[in-house]
Amino acid sequence: MLEREFWRQGLRVAGVDEAGRGALAGPVVAAAVVLAPGRHPYRDSKRLTPRRREQLLDHLQRHALAWGVGACSAAEVDRLGVLRATHCAAQRALARLRIAPQALVTDYLFLETELPLLAPARAEAQSPSVAAASILAKVVRDRIMVGLHRRYPGYGFARHKGYGTAEHLACLARLGPCPQHRRRFAPVAQAGLWDPP
């Protein structure tokens, strides 16, 4: 576990992860989770079924010491760029923790912080805190995309969650982008009559 040394030092550790960074539509959502030292059931959200993610989210909300969620809208992704928007969402998630962390573990997110930071690739496979954050971010973002599907039913957001699937690209070609699309992303810009500056 990546947290082990921090826990050995008596530090509170926040795991941070995001969902939606590579999507063509919707927000990028980040989550931060502080767990008590020990063993936990959380695993990389991408390896879990939607039902299992929901079950683990319920467990997380009952047992985590603290958790927070932050998001940046599609418009903010366009304005800031996806990397800065992801960092912004992560900082918003950290700001919503009810207890302050003393160290951070992220999935290759090099946040500006004075706290000790570990940011290896694939951290969700090595850190229960990051895995928990990945579950929280994924479930929250999926729920947002289901809500956007009701507002913009022609795009299939409830199924592909805004990612660039063949179905989504076909809908973009037919309908053009909606207000929830990231217009700086090439497939969206090409589908609309909008040229990035």
Side-chain angles (χ1 to χ4, degrees), residues 132-150:
S134 78
I135 291 167
L136 177 55
K138 174 71 172 158
V139 172
V140 168
R141 188 176 186 281
D142 283 358
R143 290 175 180 175
I144 290 169
M145 296 310 296
V146 169
L148 291 178
H149 177 79
R150 290 192 283 269

Side-chain angles (χ1 to χ4, degrees), residues 69-128:
V69 177
C72 275
S73 67
E76 288 177 299
V77 172
D78 280 337
R79 189 175 74 251
L80 299 173
V82 69
L83 180 60
R84 285 181 58 205
T86 302
H87 285 208
C88 177
Q91 295 293 357
R92 289 173 180 174
L94 288 164
R96 290 185 172 95
L97 292 172
R98 63 182 178 83
I99 59 173
Q102 297 164 311
L104 302 177
V105 180
T106 75
D107 183 28
Y108 209 65
L109 265 182
F110 294 91
L111 302 175
E112 289 187 19
T113 180
E114 296 180 358
L115 299 177
L117 169 67
L118 287 177
R122 301 172 59 88
E124 68 274 20
Q126 308 168 67
S127 162

Side-chain angles (χ1 to χ4, degrees), residues 16-17 55 59 121 151 158 179:
V16 181
D17 202 5
Q55 291 169 341
H59 184 277
R151 288 174 58 191

Side-chain angles (χ1 to χ4, degrees), residues 45-62:
S45 65
K46 293 184 287 296
R47 298 181 178 272
L48 302 172
T49 64
R51 180 179 179 188
R52 184 61 177 150
R53 285 195 293 264
E54 291 280 353
Q55 291 169 341
L56 286 172
L57 177 61
D58 180 65
H59 184 277
L60 183 161
Q61 291 176 322
R62 286 186 285 112

